[in-house]
Amino acid sequence: MSCSVHDLVRLERLGVATAGVGTEPFADEALEQAALLGMPGYRMVWVPHPVQLLTAAQLDARADAAMEAILERLLADSSTANIS
Amino acid sequence: MRYVSPYDPAARRPVEAAPRPESLAGRTVALLDISKNRGAEFLDRIEHHLRERGAEVERYAKPLFSRPAAGELVERIAARADLAVESLAD
Amino acid sequence: MAAAFTLPSTTGGPVALADLLAAGPAVVMFVTDDCPTCELALRRLAAAGAAVTVVCEAPAAAASRLAARTGFRGRMLSEPAPYETSRAYGLEAVPTTVAIAPGGEVTATVLGWDAEALSGLVGVDLGREAPARKPGCAAKSTYDAAQLAADADSSGDDPEAMFELGWTDGLPTVAPTPERVAAMLAGRDPSVSLGPVPPGMGEATLERVAACAVLAGCRPEHFAVVEAAVRAMLVPGFNLHGQAVTTQPAGQIAVVNGPVRAAAGLNSRMGALGPGTRANATIGRAMRLVVALTGEGMPGRLDRSTLGQAGKVGTCIAEDEERSPWPPLHVERGLRAGTSAVTLLAGDAPLSISEHRSRSPQELAAALGWGAATLWSPNWWPIGAATLFVICPEHADTLAAGGWGKADVRRAIWEAVQRPAGELRQGEFTDRVGGAADSELVPKWDSPDDILLIVAGGEAGRFSAVFGPCVGMDWSPVTQEVRCDT
């Protein structure tokens, strides 16, 4: 799981705005790894765990629900900094 | 007392977040699948939403979820995309 | 006449010889802070409660630490470079103990540790435990000017400083002073980079690699191997990044072949897997420090290994090519016999396989294979990863007696370790097992090519070993030539 954080930080360093999507149990781990890699404020998008046994419709719903947060991570926010 | 440090100070510098665009219109978004179960389907739905908002989408996949993406893959994405979504870390 | 001196005490103000003699005859022991015999002497003095004034050829802080770790509670004076007082006393070695009469005459001198003589001098029985006598080390006052300059620089040279900096794997490390790093580099360009080291991507300049080699306790003759090992680790196909952040226990294992083994003092014989040989221990350690420090792959931080294992301090082994009946590993992998090389593998701690009865190569190969069978998992077959066996000489002789080459041994191990899919289909099992008929035999290794063999170990004893594999990490062994031209 922490491998994603490595990829995401490297991409940010190369100028790519990123949004990482993971399942909730790994939130703390991801935050810690991001801090160690130099991005203490990096926030991922979290979807409820597990996803293995969802129906197609349920999985789509998860993706739909995550879109708002994904867009928030990817786009400039006029009022506050996007990533602290 | 002077010592030669084994650390690279450049590696320890804080990483500044990449700049964020105002909108997705005309932007290329890379979708990186970490290749765990159901990940591709999840990204299919994300792709649908991104295209609806005017983005170009390119799909990538890691050969093995447990491996950080090869440097070459990261560089390829950085060369071709402004934005990236990586999922589904489980 | 004993030369007068006034030296700072570690516990307070300056102390003059005259102050000591005012109270009667004095016994003064000269020591340094990095001499095992001096430590022995101080411990024995402390245990006996003997009244001695110690003059330590080191700054006050170092002298203080010496007193603390030996339990010495008497008067400890600090004598910094250039050690005029030691020179005045004609000191050549430490410990040197002089008895001085109140009038200032030197009445006795004892060199080194000598329990009987020193007991006589201090008037206290210093005990009978061995050793009764032990020579010490050169006094710092005998150092030449260049050495003194280096020593003055190392006035803060202390393992605690390295612990405070975090430049350690939990064990004491040697401070990478500019002089030590320069000696390690031996003329190589320090700014040459071998590339970024995962997971933190710090650049492995030769200077930083040399710093890690110094920290590890390497000598300059080890560095060519360390450099080759780091080059090998950084080849993308080795997937160091994955290994460095995984929850798996695997570390990086270096197998050394060719003439550099002798030049570096590597051990391929009795005790080859350690401990006891500086080259094996420190070269393995240097590689791992590059990952843990330069690469920021420190356990508990970017290194997420659930349990870790002792081999992650460092694992480096030399193949006993002379004793082996077969071609060495680097020749199997395409290099010439006369070339020196390091082959890097990912792997867990080694497991011993005891086999004292087999007289046929077939029996023995099966035993070795089954000794390794539950490594990683009893059910996750095939493991899809390379596994390194270290075959001891007695076992190698048995295997080779039937005319078997390494390929025969590999094939026999591979063929022997197979189980019906039905038996493997429990707990966590592979897709192959999941889809196979109950009676279909599934091997532990995908092919004999995944089984690597080297010969090492002492002449007597029928214990071979196998390193736990690193599975699912998409890594390949990498062989790198060692540049021996410096």
Side-chain angles (χ1 to χ4, degrees):
Chain A
M1 147 72 233
S2 59
C3 304
S4 303
V5 179
H6 286 263
D7 300 338
L8 294 161
V9 173
R10 276 193 291 165
L11 285 166
E12 291 279 347
R13 211 188 224 147
L14 289 172
V16 179
T18 68
V21 187
T23 53
E24 279 158 356
F26 295 95
D28 287 343
E29 168 90 3
L31 268 177
E32 194 189 341
Q33 293 302 294
L36 289 167
L37 289 167
M39 294 196 80
Y42 188 86
R43 283 145 55 228
M44 284 182 60
V45 177
W46 300 106
V47 308
H49 182 77
V51 298
Q52 297 278 3
L53 301 172
L54 298 179
T55 63
Q58 288 170 330
L59 193 61
D60 277 358
R62 291 271 209 271
D64 295 346
M67 269 314 293
E68 188 183 327
I70 290 172
L71 291 172
E72 199 213 342
R73 302 290 185 275
L74 292 179
L75 299 177
D77 180 57
S78 50
S79 55
T80 57
N82 195 288
I83 290 185
S84 54
Chain B
M1 185 60 218
R2 285 166 49 230
Y3 303 120
V4 175
S5 173
Y7 286 113
D8 178 359
R12 312 190 107 191
R13 266 185 230 131
V15 176
E16 218 179 280
R20 264 59 187 162
E22 293 292 327
S23 86
L24 288 179
R27 301 286 176 175
T28 302
V29 185
L31 295 185
L32 177 55
D33 185 359
I34 69 162
S35 305
K36 284 199 110 173
N37 232 332
R38 313 304 298 280
E41 292 169 61
F42 184 87
L43 282 176
D44 287 343
R45 187 66 176 173
I46 302 291
E47 178 173 355
H48 160 78
H49 286 297
L50 293 171
R51 285 194 188 283
E52 269 198 334
R53 282 167 172 79
E56 297 282 318
V57 174
E58 291 190 350
R59 297 287 294 262
Y60 300 84
K62 298 211 287 194
L64 208 63
F65 64 82
S66 61
R67 174 181 188 157
E72 177 255 3
L73 176 59
V74 169
E75 275 157 26
R76 195 158 23 110
I77 291 173
R80 298 180 59 86
D82 314 290
L83 305 139
V85 177
E86 180 167 358
S87 71
L88 179 57
D90 171 309
Chain C
M1 287 293 283
F5 60 76
T6 302
L7 295 169
S9 150
T10 56
T11 52
V15 172
L17 176 60
D19 300 333
L20 300 177
L21 295 177
V27 176
V28 178
M29 178 183 280
F30 288 86
V31 303
T32 65
D33 63 328
D34 59 355
C35 164
T37 306
C38 296
E39 297 215 11
L40 164 70
L42 290 174
R43 283 202 175 86
R44 299 285 278 271
L45 289 171
V52 167
T53 299
V54 173
V55 173
C56 180
E57 291 179 325
S64 223
R65 284 190 288 268
L66 174 65
R69 64 179 181 268
T70 53
F72 180 78
R73 284 193 171 70
R75 199 179 289 105
M76 172 78 75
L77 309 182
S78 153
E79 182 192 8
Y83 316 112
E84 307 284 16
T85 305
S86 298
R87 262 181 245 281
Y89 278 79
L91 218 63
E92 286 186 22
V94 287
T96 293
T97 313
V98 293
I100 308 170
E105 309 85 16
V106 174
T107 55
T109 305
V110 176
L111 298 180
W113 165 254
D114 182 328
E116 203 183 311
L118 285 168
S119 298
L121 226 58
V122 302
V124 171
D125 186 353
L126 293 174
R128 304 289 143 106
E129 320 91 88
R133 273 182 297 286
K134 192 174 184 217
C137 312
K140 289 186 186 177
S141 48
T142 64
Y143 289 2
D144 65 15
Q147 225 171 338
L148 271 181
D151 193 58
D153 250 349
S154 69
S155 57
D157 191 8
D158 171 42
E160 282 309 318
M162 295 299 106
F163 281 112
E164 278 156 31
L165 287 166
W167 297 0
T168 160
D169 48 14
L171 289 165
T173 43
V174 178
T177 61
E179 293 76 20
R180 288 184 182 134
V181 172
M184 186 65 68
L185 285 168
R188 295 174 180 84
D189 182 352
S191 65
V192 165
S193 176
L194 305 183
V197 184
M201 304 307 181
E203 285 288 324
T205 58
L206 286 185
E207 185 179 65
R208 291 191 187 116
V209 177
C212 290
V214 170
L215 285 162
C218 289
R219 286 198 46 81
E221 60 263 29
H222 303 147
F223 191 70
V225 181
V226 174
E227 183 189 338
V230 174
R231 283 184 191 277
M233 276 201 305
L234 297 181
V235 167
F238 185 66
N239 190 13
L240 176 62
H241 200 160
Q243 294 169 39
V245 303
T246 181
T247 43
Q248 288 188 41
Q252 295 72 49
I253 297 161
V255 177
V256 186
N257 288 107
V260 77
R261 292 168 302 143
L266 281 157
N267 180 17
S268 62
R269 309 227 162 111
M270 192 188 299
L273 284 176
T277 305
R278 184 175 183 172
N280 296 46
T282 61
I283 291 170
R285 196 182 185 204
M287 290 163 36
R288 284 288 314 156
L289 286 176
V290 170
V291 180
L293 302 180
T294 312
E296 314 264 359
M298 186 60 79
R301 294 171 55 80
L302 290 178
D303 175 324
R304 312 304 288 173
S305 178
T306 307
L307 276 171
Q309 44 100 359
K312 284 179 72 169
V313 171
T315 305
C316 174
I317 182 171
E319 184 171 13
D320 192 345
E321 301 172 23
E322 294 73 17
R323 184 60 176 81
S324 172
W326 304 305
L329 181 65
H330 68 318
V331 169
E332 290 185 273
R333 291 177 60 76
L335 299 188
R336 286 186 313 104
T339 312
S340 288
V342 182
T343 300
L344 259 282
L345 301 154
D348 196 348
L351 187 75
S352 265
I353 306 170
S354 161
E355 223 306 331
H356 288 72
R357 281 234 182 261
S358 294
R359 291 293 173 252
S360 79
Q362 203 75 42
E363 267 188 293
L364 179 54
L368 293 174
W370 281 101
T374 55
L375 285 172
W376 182 262
S377 158
N379 307 311
W380 185 272
W381 292 18
I383 53 172
T387 302
L388 174 66
F389 284 80
V390 182
I391 311 289
C392 68
E394 283 206 45
H395 282 168
D397 289 345
T398 301
L399 292 166
W404 282 25
K406 271 189 178 178
D408 300 304
V409 178
R410 273 199 278 273
R411 170 147 285 272
I413 290 175
W414 177 81
E415 267 171 6
V417 189
Q418 312 215 0
R419 284 171 72 197
E423 283 177 26
L424 292 167
R425 214 167 7 245
Q426 52 181 325
E428 191 183 19
F429 49 88
T430 60
D431 288 345
R432 175 165 168 184
V433 167
D438 274 4
S439 59
E440 181 180 325
L441 289 178
V442 178
K444 179 167 183 77
W445 291 280
D446 289 75
S447 89
D449 293 337
D450 278 344
I451 296 164
L452 304 179
L453 307 170
I454 61 170
V455 174
E459 272 307 314
R462 296 177 68 92
F463 292 91
S464 286
V466 57
F467 283 92
C470 172
V471 174
M473 198 50 66
D474 194 23
W475 68 277
S476 302
V478 175
T479 299
Q480 173 72 43
E481 266 193 57
V482 178
R483 300 175 186 195
C484 297
D485 38 72
T486 8

